[in-house]
Amino acid sequence: MSVSPHDLRPYQIEAIASIEREWENDKRSTLLVLATGLGKTTVFSEMARRERDRGGRTLVLAHRTELVTQAARSLEATSLTTQIESGSQRASLLQWPIAETVVATVQTLKGRRLAKWPRDHFAR
């Protein structure tokens, strides 16, 4: 089941609008803070869907494997092609269709594993 704008809560719609305003002002680092259970995953899934609709790809980083799995499920529920780069799992630049989103752990995506991705591969 994908998220539609009608499924978003007013504060999530406001958060998305704030993020988009930051991106319009060329802010490369934008932080969203929401308490547990308020839908950070829903918000970034919607942002990734919008980026896909603009022709871009998104990288999502998490600190724990459980969060990577949760994020991947949420992104796939938003009809986004998603791959995981974590531990023994490797996302591929060559797999067709090329993933619109890649979810990775911060600990995994460094050094050679980070270097395999072209600097401009992800829009966000």
Side-chain angles (χ1 to χ4, degrees):
M1 174 204 286
S2 71
V3 174
S4 78
H6 304 292
D7 296 330
L8 298 170
R9 298 189 181 278
Y11 62 86
Q12 292 169 327
I13 293 168
E14 183 180 331
I16 290 166
S18 294
I19 292 166
E20 289 184 332
R21 278 193 302 276
E22 290 291 303
W23 288 356
E24 286 172 8
N25 292 320
D26 292 325
K27 301 284 176 134
R28 296 203 37 94
S29 295
T30 303
L31 176 67
L32 171 66
V33 178
L34 291 175
T36 301
L38 292 182
K40 291 178 287 290
T41 303
T42 300
V43 170
F44 75 66
S45 294
E46 175 63 13
M47 294 302 302
R49 185 195 64 76
R50 291 177 184 204
E51 189 59 46
R52 186 260 332 260
D53 291 350
R54 290 189 286 263
R57 291 180 293 270
T58 302
L59 173 64
V60 176
L61 295 173
H63 287 282
R64 295 191 355 225
T65 305
E66 303 83 37
L67 296 175
V68 167
T69 304
Q70 174 189 344
R73 278 196 313 263
S74 178
L75 291 159
E76 289 168 349
T78 313
S79 301
L80 290 160
T81 306
T82 304
Q83 294 182 33
I84 294 175
E85 179 84 20
S86 177
S88 63
Q89 294 179 282
R90 306 221 181 228
S92 173
L93 290 162
L94 305 175
Q95 181 177 330
W96 187 255
I98 293 175
E100 296 158 332
T101 57
V102 171
V103 184
T105 57
V106 174
Q107 298 87 340
T108 297
L109 201 60
K110 59 184 177 182
R112 284 186 291 211
R113 285 180 80 167
L114 176 59
K116 82 174 186 179
W117 298 96
R119 202 168 174 84
D120 62 352
H121 186 78
F122 300 105
R124 303 282 175 202

